[in-house]
Amino acid sequence: MKHGEIINKKPVETGLIDYEKTSKEFSWEAVKKDLFTTPQNKVNIAYEAIDKHAQTWRRNKVALYWEGAEGVYEKYTFLELKRLSDQCANMLRSLGVKKGDRVFIFLPRLPELYISMIATAKLGAIAGPMFSAFGPDAVRDRLQNSEAKVLITTPELKERVETVLFELPKLEHIVVVNSKEDHEPEEGDVCYNTLMKKASDRFEMEWLELEDPLYILYTSGTTGRPKGITHVHNDMISHYITTKWALDLRDDDIYWCTADPGWVTGTVYGLWGPWLSGISSYVYDGRFDAGKWYEIIQTYNITVWYTAPTALRMLMKGGDELVKKYDLSCLRYMCSVGEPLNPEVIRWGLKVYNLPIHDTWWQTETGAIMIANYPCIPIKPGSMGKPFPGTKAAIIDGKGNELPAGQHGLLALKPGWPSMLRAVWGDEKRFKEYFNVNGWYATGDTAYKDEDGYFWFVGRADDVINTSGHRVGPFEVESALLEHKVVAESGVIGKPDAERGEIIKAFVVLREGFKPSQELEEELKKFVRHRLAAHAYPKEIEFCSNLPKTRSGKIMRRLLKARDLGLPTGDISTLED
Ligand code: WTA
């Protein structure tokens, strides 16, 4: 059975045709004019992405094809999404949510997740999407820092984080999304379905300034708790044009972004980006399974596919024969993000899918794709591509001087693109740290540029770990470990891994009276997994009697890593004894 109908009522727009010429003539003002078809003083991304299309021929076009893990599927047109999000916005308003309030969403990839993200934007409130894999500590840290007023979740997920809810005095309501009609919410909670039924499906949009906040996503740094990267409605200008030019999306596409909205890719390119251009988007709320993924492409006629290197490496492991069992001829464009895209994966993709995979580089902080391979330029396997038109990227030294082609340095961007982070929630100091190299925005990555202007990723300039595309701060894992009664000290590093890019490895010093054992190792893994998230626990634990530290007491993760990998230890002058 085929679910994806191909709609082609408008002439196919053309994407980026001439990179050099477009880059030269590019202006963000022109993009704005293209996006905002009617001149407006005030804006709202939800209007541009949903309500606007509900007033045109696209009203009956499918905006969202949704499939659950148990083979349930649904579809929603732009008009249906408009009405449902109006209803949801009325519901949230009835709970007292107003402009600027934080609404945190802790849901699997259910339609309600997408509906409540749109509804939150309609109210001018700020959405905080969270991975459904999060444990209580991860949820508590985010809700505490953002002072969220409302949490939208399921009964199962609520139960998982029950232990920390009393630590959130600012949280006024828990909205429970339950598939079972007869579900009685616990005392104090509100039932999503019941309130939705009562709410009107006509909502007066909150008209906003471009600089009003839209969403917060927490991401890891080297030290401290995760940072609340805050984005604004103005981001839509970047969302809109990068979706067209880097993902090459057109009106007749059926597009699949495999990312969860708890990751910036799933928020920006799983909902806003495609919908700003009125594209049909597919969402799968299930686990990775190579055969299932191919079946999705075949069944829904997926034409454009945005995924991550880890997934591609797992598909590669699934083998060539599996690919041949499916008709994937509908696919026409493939992109990847999150980690270095291995040249052998590109070559394999070319062989089995008959398509080149276009790597894209960006960050939670940049809010949109900054460097990419476009349909109109040749791909150099292993390179992230070239800066998006209107974006100035450079390789700099520690003082902010630009380095010539071929030289390794810090990857930096000239501030000013529309979707740049506007704040680290409640932390001006950490926000400013991004800009303290002579006016550049410092990405934390190291890279080099070649003679042709292509950028090549080298690594992180800091200790941040990238495991299967997830950014994990060693400090968070170390802190979680320290909460276990047997742990005296811990040091956490990223260890290279063929499938996941890196895995998390923890070195643990036990308290007096405790002995290393296989059971203890398993217990610690489970402990961190439960507190943080399934992707953030140490796959490897090594017990040791002490950790290398600087004279000021900081754990020298660099040294742990060098020793672990048998690499030169470099400068150890700050090492205590
Ligand atoms: C890494 C993801 C190599 C990089 C959208 C960056 C990449 C961090 C690539 C951001 C790529 C992202 N090649 N590395 N194409 N894309 N990264 O905030 O280290 O989760 O700084 O955003 O992922 O991770 P984040």
Side-chain angles (χ1 to χ4, degrees), residues 219 263-265 336-341 359-365 384 443 445 457 460 466 469 471:
T219 196
W263 187 31
V264 73
T265 308
S336 160
V337 64
E339 309 151 69
L341 179 62
D359 191 14
T360 65
W361 177 94
W362 58 296
Q363 307 179 296
T364 308
E365 293 87 339
M384 309 187 282
T443 66
D445 285 355
F457 180 82
R460 286 288 306 186
N466 188 335
R471 254 165 92 170

Side-chain angles (χ1 to χ4, degrees), residues 5 64 107 160 187 294 300 343 387 543 550 554 560 563:
E5 51 202 288
L64 174 65
L107 289 175
R160 193 195 302 157
E187 203 178 322
Y294 292 141
Y300 287 85
F543 294 105
T550 62
K554 276 201 194 115
L560 279 174
R563 283 180 185 165

Side-chain angles (χ1 to χ4, degrees), residues 210-252:
L210 280 165
E211 289 301 310
D212 283 326
L214 171 66
Y215 72 92
I216 307 178
L217 266 175
Y218 283 77
T219 196
S220 301
T222 318
T223 55
R225 301 267 170 226
K227 302 181 261 193
I229 305 300
T230 308
H231 284 281
V232 297
H233 282 250
N234 192 64
D235 283 38
M236 71 177 117
I237 299 161
S238 294
H239 298 169
Y240 172 75
I241 198 65
T242 49
T243 305
K244 277 198 189 312
W245 289 354
L247 302 183
D248 198 41
L249 281 174
R250 305 168 193 173
D251 226 334
D252 56 348

Side-chain angles (χ1 to χ4, degrees), residues 446-460:
T446 57
Y448 66 93
K449 189 167 108 171
D450 70 16
E451 298 287 350
D452 302 321
Y454 283 77
F455 283 75
W456 299 73
F457 180 82
V458 174
R460 286 288 306 186

Side-chain angles (χ1 to χ4, degrees), residues 35-49:
L35 168 61
F36 302 124
T37 40
T38 47
Q40 265 149 347
N41 297 328
K42 299 272 192 162
V43 295
N44 193 310
I45 193 172
Y47 171 77
E48 301 299 332

Side-chain angles (χ1 to χ4, degrees), residues 62 64-68 72-76 111 300:
V62 176
L64 174 65
Y65 289 100
W66 178 84
E67 187 175 348
V72 208
Y73 54 87
E74 288 169 12
K75 53 186 177 182
Y76 299 84
Y300 287 85

